[in-house]
Amino acid sequence: MADPDVERAEKAAAGVGGVTVHADPVAALDAPGVAAVLIASPGPAHEEALLAAFARGLPVLCEKPMVPDSTGALRVVEAEARLGRRLAQIGFMRRYDAEYRRLKALLDGGALGRPLMLHCTHRNVSSPGDFTSAMLINSSVSHEIDAARWLLGQELTAVTVLRPTPSSGAPEGLLDPQFVLFETAGGALVDVEVFVNSGFGYQVRCEAVCERGSARIGDEHTMVVTSAGSAREEVAQDYLVRFADAYDRELQAWADATRRGEVTGPSAWDGYAASVVAEAGVRSLETCDREAVELAPRPDLYAR
Amino acid sequence: MADPDVERAEKAAAGVGGVTVHADPVAALDAPGVAAVLIASPGPAHEEALLAAFARGLPVLCEKPMVPDSTGALRVVEAEARLGRRLAQIGFMRRYDAEYRRLKALLDGGALGRPLMLHCTHRNVSSPGDFTSAMLINSSVSHEIDAARWLLGQELTAVTVLRPTPSSGAPEGLLDPQFVLFETAGGALVDVEVFVNSGFGYQVRCEAVCERGSARIGDEHTMVVTSAGSAREEVAQDYLVRFADAYDRELQAWADATRRGEVTGPSAWDGYAASVVAEAGVRSLETCDREAVELAPRPDLYAR
Amino acid sequence: MADPDVERAEKAAAGVGGVTVHADPVAALDAPGVAAVLIASPGPAHEEALLAAFARGLPVLCEKPMVPDSTGALRVVEAEARLGRRLAQIGFMRRYDAEYRRLKALLDGGALGRPLMLHCTHRNVSSPGDFTSAMLINSSVSHEIDAARWLLGQELTAVTVLRPTPSSGAPEGLLDPQFVLFETAGGALVDVEVFVNSGFGYQVRCEAVCERGSARIGDEHTMVVTSAGSAREEVAQDYLVRFADAYDRELQAWADATRRGEVTGPSAWDGYAASVVAEAGVRSLETCDREAVELAPRPDLYAR
Amino acid sequence: MADPDVERAEKAAAGVGGVTVHADPVAALDAPGVAAVLIASPGPAHEEALLAAFARGLPVLCEKPMVPDSTGALRVVEAEARLGRRLAQIGFMRRYDAEYRRLKALLDGGALGRPLMLHCTHRNVSSPGDFTSAMLINSSVSHEIDAARWLLGQELTAVTVLRPTPSSGAPEGLLDPQFVLFETAGGALVDVEVFVNSGFGYQVRCEAVCERGSARIGDEHTMVVTSAGSAREEVAQDYLVRFADAYDRELQAWADATRRGEVTGPSAWDGYAASVVAEAGVRSLETCDREAVELAPRPDLYAR
């Protein structure tokens, strides 16, 4: 782990165990046993770290923006191209969001035909104190820039930024909201409302309008596909899909509590009560009548 | 790892590494270095394994049903009560589902007042070949039995099972769907539609009707709370809430690909293109005009 | 118009014009020019009025309940059967609700197969002061009784009323909510939550669970049909469907305002402004550029 | 009634009764007993008809566009201004749509603060054969032009029309879809997707983004208001709100059937059956037990 603020790094490292802390990122790269690098420093520090990782042949996951200015970004691209092999992955994490992936799969599948437009919304409750009007573009909308390129599989060819009268909820001088239009190499149009002081929520939505239907994500429910006269939401076909996260969370919670010497989840009493009720239910299924449920006295161990 | 089918266990163990396989679960419990036990065998094998774990003082996560018959279940409860400390957690995983947890928190918070009724739906696409009418109760509805006890914090006191004419989509002789009514110690009513050959989806829904509002989960969107004249869905306030899963998936995908010596995610070219477009956007913000986006030639390394 | 409270009737009649008021409903039926009868008196007065209309061969629309006690109701049925022709229509107005009609059409069409269960909700904000526990059944649930018979095309064969602990929001002594189960001649099951002091809204919902899918109405959006792995809402195909009510309302508002010598809707200025903007839009379509909109000065007549 | 195609007019008039048909609209205006005029002829005929109505002091409801070219539209405005009193209402019917009215009321109420942007969608399944690229603006978007002016209470000051690559579902040569941007006198921004050959539905949506929340209509459910961390839909408080249309439809259907000498709605048998079931329900409420429902034999008159 490397951080100019060594004290902060020591604190973070302590929570993991077995981690050596460095002030200098390059020294960290040269430490024994380094197999891959995760760069999460501020953007201006990225170029140097990326080039150092390339020089050592180390795979690297680099937070976005890869390099804030495009000249530096091009130097990174050229360096990797000279290497002749791919080492860098950039942290555009929307490509890993379940809803975006479903939308991408739908567009790639071709059922809705060619995408004509993307309507995007990017709202935050409020912006940090040092947020500038340009950062609505290069910090916030940069997510939509990558998402649009990825979803459409096309480069963006022109951009127009429109400025409605700023919200009185935005800090003095900040142009917020903005409305951004992108044109693409394939003639599609992408519009983005970016509103970082909306006050009401973190909302990231995207509607792809295609030749034979539209699909919308990010709207407090699963992807809605409109085509052929109806608006549809997919219904899970399997409990593993519906409850995958619950199973993960259950095992993690059990492991964590067990490490602390505790039991925090459903108890043996809960298991017992379920058996008694289920047995009464099966009796009722046979008798077609109401069946009372009789539990043994609850041991003190299971007092609520 | 213990499994009477040692070959199957060897195969599973190979995917993890550093695991010793046993045919006899008790032998596995006695192996050195065992700190906790996860019981995922069929229900009838649970009692013996639980008692063996208790005898060794080992924490245990046991899949539901804890013990299929309530007499055996009570023996487990009594054994743990004699120990005087809690070791067992039962695998009622709905308590770990994000929507159920939100519903539980809402009910416990008291904003809607006392719960009066729970309306539950439990639908599967189809049931396995050996599914019996009793299993709709003791295998499927057993989830609702625990969920109702947990959500309401009350024991169930009586049960009535109603049998509509079976669906022609259900196997001959299977009473499917069923409609199950539970009464609770606090006078609430719980109804459950269980329909394991619905053909159309895996749907688990729960609506809690309270004195001052109702809340519904499982409906292809986030929890809907109806009170004081409106139906509301919570909107995330933070990108960490909205995109937590995406961040996890991103890191895991990167680690997996890196182990295989590949880069599968956004490339340095994607990082570069984002920089160029963002710069053009910032120019447009200043000029209030359309700005063209000019990319350098794309190196072969980044050919699609 | 007939009402024992002649003064009240005179007041109502004055708003319509050309209406003669009677204290005695039978005298009203005998008045010249009566072609049909609408009975909106309290239930106990219905039987006499219906029989009088039958005696005169007059078509009649009678508010529900037709006759509160079933013996009297049977006398009305027998009287009409003796007449040998149909004269009476009963005021079960849910059959005329757009959502119920869509659900009925869907069920009759057979796409979802045989209905197995209806899950119904009937909630009011609060009940009138004189509401009794029996009225939850014979005044509120009577709507679901007719809706279930109509939707399923089957008679109901048995009923069970369950009583959860009453809400503290209900008046002392009122059993509210209740949970009512109906069995049908075809083996379907109908359950109804009736909750007349819910406090939070007037909600009438119905989900029909069928062999190959389910359909739900009354849920703050259009009918949702779940089948074959997705939940779907119909999207209108035509502006006449979407805006039928708006066209009616527009014409009525214009007629009403014109009678009062006023203009309350969009003005000639609005028509003019639309022309100017549309022309600028067509220019922009040609120039591919931003076009300014220039309006003539707004005459005082159109001051806001 | 006036129509150059007298035969067509005669046919329409026959369905109403008591209507005199004219070939010349001015002759119709001069007929005795004309109290108001409804102009539903093609746009180019409107100016003459409007001026004739003004000359006779007749109130007039004129379909949109009032006058297609803005010079002619201004002549109408000036003529009415010279009259010194308002006679004309223009057929912008969205102002009478229940959802738009709710949105207007919400914006005017000020709870969400100043509107910053309107995002609009206007989709048709397909366009008539003679539809031109300009008609997407002056026939389709003209609805949004009026709606935006009305909702915001501001004039529009500039317009930009963008042309994504046309859908292959659009007729050769038609620029469809288009994306239209309006700027307003108050600094708000209005964007409109117009797509008249979407193939999938008639969708008219509008989202108003304000300083303290957003509100969306037209989305297959009631208005959704997002503010303060939740997305809300209003729940009706009263059956008159929920079922107003059903009551109208019931009465109209009864009147229509009665004129034809038929009964098409719920019968006396339906009224009787409801009484019997309700009585059994009230018994069950008292006995807390299942009660059978016994119907008298169904007279032939009520055979299905």
Side-chain angles (χ1 to χ4, degrees), chain C residues 195-275:
Chain C
F195 188 7
V196 299
N197 290 281
S198 76
F200 49 89
Y202 179 72
Q203 288 191 304
V204 170
R205 307 186 303 193
C206 182
E207 178 179 22
V209 185
C210 305
E211 297 194 317
R212 288 192 297 279
S214 86
R216 202 174 60 196
I217 59 170
D219 220 16
E220 284 94 58
H221 36 174
T222 58
M223 183 168 69
V224 178
V225 179
T226 302
S227 66
S230 76
R232 288 186 305 283
E233 299 185 47
E234 198 182 338
V235 173
Q237 294 296 293
D238 197 284
Y239 70 97
L240 287 175
V241 173
R242 169 65 181 84
F243 284 122
D245 291 344
Y247 280 107
D248 283 354
R249 216 171 276 128
E250 180 192 38
L251 277 174
Q252 192 61 54
W254 175 65
D256 292 350
T258 297
R259 275 204 196 102
R260 295 193 309 269
E262 295 173 14
V263 177
T264 58
S267 69
W269 177 258
D270 295 317
Y272 162 68
S275 296

Side-chain angles (χ1 to χ4, degrees), chain B residues 189-213:
Chain B
L189 197 66
V190 179
D191 58 89
V192 184
E193 175 206 317
V194 56
F195 188 6
V196 298
N197 289 280
S198 76
F200 50 87
Y202 179 73
Q203 287 191 304
V204 169
R205 308 186 303 194
C206 182
E207 178 178 24
V209 185
C210 305
E211 297 194 317
R212 288 192 297 277

Side-chain angles (χ1 to χ4, degrees), chain D residues 33 164 174 178 195 200 207 221 256 280 299-300:
Chain D
L174 191 72
Q178 297 176 19
F195 187 7
F200 49 88
E207 179 178 22
H221 35 176
D256 292 349
D300 290 344

Side-chain angles (χ1 to χ4, degrees), chain A residues 67 70 80 90 96 157 159 161 163 183 202 220-221 236 249 266 269 275 279 284-285 290-291 293 302, chain B residues 67 70 80 90 96 155 157 159 161 163 183 202 220-221 236 249 266 275 279 284-285 290-291 293 302:
Chain A
V67 180
S70 63
E80 196 181 27
I90 312 308
Y96 295 92
T157 56
V159 53
V161 178
R163 321 149 147 213
E183 302 162 40
Y202 179 71
E220 283 93 59
H221 35 174
R249 216 172 275 128
W269 177 259
S275 295
E279 283 177 355
S284 171
L285 177 66
R290 176 179 181 279
E291 295 286 336
V293 171
Y302 307 105
Chain B
V67 179
S70 62
E80 196 181 27
I90 312 308
Y96 295 93
E155 294 296 354
T157 56
V159 54
V161 178
R163 319 150 147 212
E183 302 162 40
Y202 179 73
E220 285 93 59
H221 36 176
R249 216 172 277 128
S275 295
E279 284 178 354
S284 171
L285 178 66
R290 177 181 182 276
E291 294 288 336
V293 171
Y302 307 106

Side-chain angles (χ1 to χ4, degrees), chain B residues 1 20-22 24-36 56 58:
Chain B
M1 192 179 293
T20 315
V21 166
H22 301 261
D24 173 18
V26 173
L29 294 186
D30 287 330
V34 170
R56 286 155 185 79
L58 287 171

Side-chain angles (χ1 to χ4, degrees), chain B residues 106-138:
Chain B
L106 181 75
L107 296 181
D108 287 356
L112 299 187
R114 186 165 46 85
L116 303 167
M117 288 172 281
L118 296 184
H119 303 312
C120 309
T121 312
H122 186 147
R123 295 174 185 155
N124 296 79
V125 175
S126 61
S127 61
D130 57 352
F131 222 69
T132 65
S133 296
M135 290 169 79
L136 272 82
I137 306 293
N138 56 31

Side-chain angles (χ1 to χ4, degrees), chain B residues 53-103:
Chain B
F54 288 175
R56 286 155 185 79
L58 287 171
V60 54
L61 174 58
C62 178
E63 256 313 309
K64 59 143 285 235
M66 180 176 77
V67 179
D69 71 291
S70 62
T71 316
L74 187 56
R75 282 192 298 264
V76 169
V77 161
E78 290 168 346
E80 196 181 27
R82 273 194 306 273
L83 270 185
R85 64 187 174 114
R86 300 269 300 275
L87 287 175
Q89 172 169 332
I90 312 308
F92 291 119
M93 39 63 68
R94 291 221 189 139
R95 301 195 189 190
Y96 295 93
D97 176 60
E99 293 188 17
Y100 271 94
R101 292 174 87 87
R102 224 176 299 164
L103 179 56

